[in-house]
Amino acid sequence: MINIEIDGKLVEIGRGSTVMDAAHKAGIHIPHFCYHKKLSIAASCRMCLVEVEKAPKPLPACATPAADGMKVHTHSELAVKAQQGVMEFLLINHPLDCPVCDQGGECQLQDVAMGYGAPASRYSEEKRIVMHKDIGALISTREMSRCIQCTRCVRFGQEIAGMMELGMAFRGEHAEIMSFVDSSVDSELSGNMIDLCPVGALTSKPFRYTARSWELSRRKSVSPHDGLGSNLAVQVKNHKVMRVLPIENEAVNECWISDKDRFSYEGLNSAERLTKPMLKQDGKWVEVEWQVALEYVAKGLHQIACGAGADQVAALATPHSTLEELYLLQKLMRGLGSGNVDFRLRQSDFSMDGKQAGAPWLGMPVADINTRDRLLIVGSFLRKDHPLLAQRVRQAVKHGAQANIVHATDDDLLMPVANKAIVAPGELVNVLAQILKALAAEKQGSAQGVENVTVGSEAAAIAKSLASGERAAVLLGNFAQQHPQAAQLAVLAERIAALCGAKFGFLGEAANSVGGYLAGAVPFGGAVQGMNAAQMVASPRKAYLLLNVEPELDMHDPQQAMAAMYAADMVVALSAYKHHATDYADVLLPIAPFTETSGTFVNTEGRVQSFKGAVKPLGEARPAWKVLRVLGNLLDASGFDYDSSEAVRDEALGMQEVGGKLNNHLDVALQNTAATKAQGLQRVADVPIYSTDGLVRRAASLQKTHDAVIPCVTMHGSELQKLGVQSGDTVKVTQGRAAVRLAVQADDIMPAGTARVAAGHPATAELGAMFGTITVERA
Amino acid sequence: MEKITNFFKTFLLYELVKGMALTGRYFFARKITVQYPEEKTPQSFRFRGLHAQRRYANGEERCIGCKLCEAVCPALAIKIEVAEREDGTRRTTQYDIDLYKCIFCGFCEESCPVDAIVETRMFEYHGEKPGDLYYTKPMLLAMGDKHEEQIAKDRAADAKYR
C-alpha cells in the first residue's frame, strides 16, 4: 500500500493503481471521457489532466501510476487551465447541436463543458463533418461529427465483445470511427457502445428522437430473457416503455446488458399484442369480458377434469414466466388433481426427474466465472445463448484461463480456445466418457463404467488441461440440457468435475430455469405426480393450458406439439400476443409481459430478484398471477387468496434459504457410453438469439439484425458435395411428416454427418424434434 | 403660533380652496387617458403577448423539437411530441400551448435555441368556448406567418442587448 495526497486528502491505495483510482477512492471527481473502469486506458482525451507536485507539466490522472508521497491537485490554477484548454480543443469540431441530439441532457460532454469549460470558444472557423455510415439496425451513427475520438467503442469491441467491429481510420483532423467496409456491427453486446459513448455520436436507432432523457422516469426491472437475470432500468414516458438501460450490478451483469435485453422492449408495444380476452364461438373469435372468459375456462377445465379424468388436463409454461406465475400454475393444476405441469419445453431427456438432489443451477456465483483457470463447456452455443456469461468466460481466458469446448459445432467464441472436441450429437456422451477416463488416469481416480472407451487425442488434451488447473469449472449448456442423453452427459460431467475438484453447473436457458424448479412447476416432487413436457404432447391430452407458450416455436418437437394442440378438446392460451393459437385455441387470455406485472426471476446462480411493474398493462391485459389466482378461486381450489405477488413468492420459496434447494447432484446410473453411430444426417438445432421467446421475436429492430436472418441449413463442405449442391442453393429439408425449403451453406465448423437447422424460427417450425435424423435433398 | 394659523384656516376654507386649485389645474391640463380601442399605448419590443411559431425565409419551420420550452415552462402549458421526419430531421408532430395555463413569463422564448417560439405584441384575443384558447401547431405557425415582419423587427431591436 502506498500513500498519496489528492487535494489535501490522504488516500491509501494499492501499488499499481492510478491517480484516477485514488481520486475515486477519495471521492474526488476528475473529469474524463476516454477513461472507463472496465476498459483499458487510452489517455487520449486528456480531460483528466491534473497537477502533480514536482512534475513539470500536468499529467493525465487515468494513466499516471500513483507513487508514494505523490501530491496531486485537481483544482489548482495549472490543472483548471489545462482542463479548460482541453475542453476548448474538444469543442472545436463538436457541432454543438445539443438541442437536436438524443444525448442532450445525459451527455458527459455537456456536463463537463458546463463544469470545466471556458464560457466561450475562440474558434470561428469551419467545423469538420464526418459522413454517416450505416452500421446496422441498432446503432445510429448519423451524427458521427459529434465524435471526440475517445475510442471507448473501439476498446469495448476489442476487450469486452471480443470482436473489433469499429476502429479509428485516418489521422489528425481526418480521424474517424468506422466499421469495416460495408459491414455492420453484429456483436450481441453492441448496444453497450451507445451507453459508453460520452457524446451523441453513437445513439440508439429505435429510440431516436422519441423522448428526451429528462422526460423519462426510471423503473427497476429484471431481464426476462437469458438465465443471467440482468438488472434493467426500464425508462417510461406516458405509460409506455421508451427504452431499457442497464443497472450496474457487479455480481450479475456488471455494467453491461446484451442487445436482447436492451432492445426487446419494442416487442412490448407490438401490434400483435392481445388486449382483450377472446373466445372462439362457432369458429369465429369474439372479444368478451374477463368474467365471461374466465368462467368459460373454469367450466371447461372442470368438465374435462371430472369427465375424462384430471390427468387429461395439461399445463405448459414458458421458462420466461415469473416464479409467481409458475407456482400458481402448478398449484392450480394440482388443485384440479393433475400433475401434468412443466416448464422445460425444449428438454427431451427426463430420465433424471426425481433423481436430482435439488434444482439444477450454475454451481457457483456468476462472478466466480471470471476467476476460473480451467473451463470445460459442454454443448453450449455460448455466445448466442448467454452473451454476458460468454463475456465473463472471455475475461477469464484473458487472465490466463484455458477454455475447453465439447460441442457439436465449432462456433467462433471470440476468444482463444485451448482444446476442443467437435463431434456429432450422438458422440457427445462418448467424448465426455473419454475425458473422464483420461482424467481418472491423470488423477488416479475411479474410471468405473468408462473403462472400455478408447481415449482420443482431443479428449486427452482436455483432460490434461483440466487436471493441471486449480479452480476449474464444468458447465453444461443449453444444447447439452436439450440433448436426448442429457442425464448421461450430466452424470459424466459431474464425475469429471469431482475428479478435478471443479465446480459443476448448468447454464440456465431462460430467466426462470432455476425458479421453475423452486416453484414446483415440474411433474415430479409435488403431491400429485404427472407427465413431463414431452409426454404431454406425445400422448395428447384433452385440455391444455398454455402460459405464454407458442408450441410451434418453444417446444422440443413442434410437430408433435402442434398435433396435440389440434387434437385437444380445449386449449386455453394465456398469452401476451395474438399468435398461431388463434388456429387451435378456444380461449385467449391477454396477460402482461414483464414490464407490466410484478414478479420474481431466480437466475442461474439462484439469486432471487423481484421486480415491480413499470407500466400499467396494455388494454385489458392483466398480470398472469392475478388471472391464475382468479381461475383458482373459480375452480374452488383452496389457498388462492393472495393479496400480492410477494405473498405468492413467499409461499413458493418458503421461509427457507434458496441456496439450500440448489443441488446439481444426480442419482442416475451411467449407461452405455459407446458412441452411437447414427444413420443419416443428424440435426443440430440451435435457437437463434433473437428467436428465444415471444418478446424478442416481436422486437422489430432486433429482427432486422444479422443474427435474425432466416436460418439456413449449415453442413460440412463434404456433405454438400455428396448432395451435389453449392452454398446458397435451396434444399428440401425433411423431418417427420413435414418438409421445408431452406438455403444451404457449407461451413466446416460442422462435423461430418450433421446438419445445423435452427429451431424456434417460423421458417423451421414445421419440422420435428431438435435432435434426430433429418433428410436434406436437392430441391 | 400654530394654533392661531389653524384657527384661521378652519373658517377661511383654506383646504377647500387648495383642493379646488388641484382640480382646476387638471381640468385645464392636457389629457392622458387613452381612448382604447381607437387609441393604443406604445409597446416595448420585448412585449410578451400571444405566442407564435416562426419559419425561416425559405418556409421551413424553425422548431426542431428540442423540448427545452416544455421543460422550462413553469405553468406546464406546453405539450410537444417529436418524431423523425422523412428527411431525417427532428420535427414536432404536436406543439400545443394551453393559454389558459400560460402565465406569459417568456421563458419559452428565452430558452429557444432557434428563436422558433416567440411572444408577439398581440394581446387582443379571446375565446368564446372552452378549448378556444388551446393553441395548436398550425394556429401558432399561422400567427407567425401573419406577424413575421413585426417579430423580426423586434428581435433585431433586442439583439444588441443579448
Side-chain angles (χ1 to χ4, degrees), chain A residues 428-438 450 453 455 492 496 673:
Chain A
L428 277 186
V429 169
N430 183 251
V431 170
L432 284 196
Q434 288 176 32
I435 296 173
L436 178 59
K437 188 179 174 188
V450 295
V453 295
V455 179
L492 285 164
I496 292 171
T673 53

Side-chain angles (χ1 to χ4, degrees), chain A residues 569-727:
Chain A
D569 291 348
M570 181 174 184
V571 175
V572 181
L574 282 83
S575 170
Y577 299 99
K578 279 180 212 165
H579 52 77
H580 274 121
T582 45
D583 293 345
Y584 52 80
D586 302 277
V587 194
L588 288 173
L589 301 178
I591 59 168
F594 81 107
T595 48
E596 299 168 13
T597 176
S598 55
T600 304
F601 289 130
V602 184
N603 82 351
T604 184
E605 62 168 359
R607 182 182 293 263
V608 180
Q609 303 191 103
S610 294
F611 54 92
K612 294 202 160 53
V615 291
K616 59 182 181 194
L618 190 72
E620 286 185 25
R622 290 292 172 267
W625 70 268
K626 288 189 178 174
V627 177
L628 291 166
R629 178 186 64 181
V630 178
L631 266 181
N633 288 328
L634 287 175
L635 284 165
D636 290 331
S638 62
F640 272 87
D641 306 311
Y642 301 99
D643 298 333
S644 64
S645 65
E646 284 82 6
V648 184
R649 178 195 64 196
D650 293 344
E651 187 181 309
L653 295 179
M655 286 300 116
Q656 217 182 327
E657 265 301 301
V658 168
K661 297 180 190 168
L662 307 174
N663 197 328
N664 286 328
H665 178 65
L666 281 183
D667 199 13
V668 177
L670 195 58
Q671 289 162 3
N672 180 21
T673 53
T676 41
K677 262 280 163 257
Q679 293 293 310
L681 276 176
Q682 293 301 300
R683 181 175 181 187
V684 175
D686 58 323
V687 183
I689 181 166
Y690 301 137
S691 301
T692 49
D693 56 275
L695 192 57
V696 287
R697 288 196 280 260
R698 289 169 182 86
S701 298
L702 287 177
Q703 293 308 321
K704 286 183 218 153
T705 60
H706 187 72
D707 275 325
V709 293
I710 296 172
C712 53
V713 186
T714 314
M715 291 191 290
H716 194 268
S718 62
E719 298 287 341
L720 253 67
Q721 275 180 354
K722 270 191 230 167
L723 282 177
V725 291
Q726 284 178 331
S727 281

Side-chain angles (χ1 to χ4, degrees), chain A residues 549-567:
Chain A
V549 178
E550 295 174 61
E552 74 278 20
L553 302 173
D554 291 336
M555 299 290 292
H556 182 79
D557 188 341
Q559 250 172 27
Q560 223 174 36
M562 290 309 281
M565 294 303 139
Y566 280 109

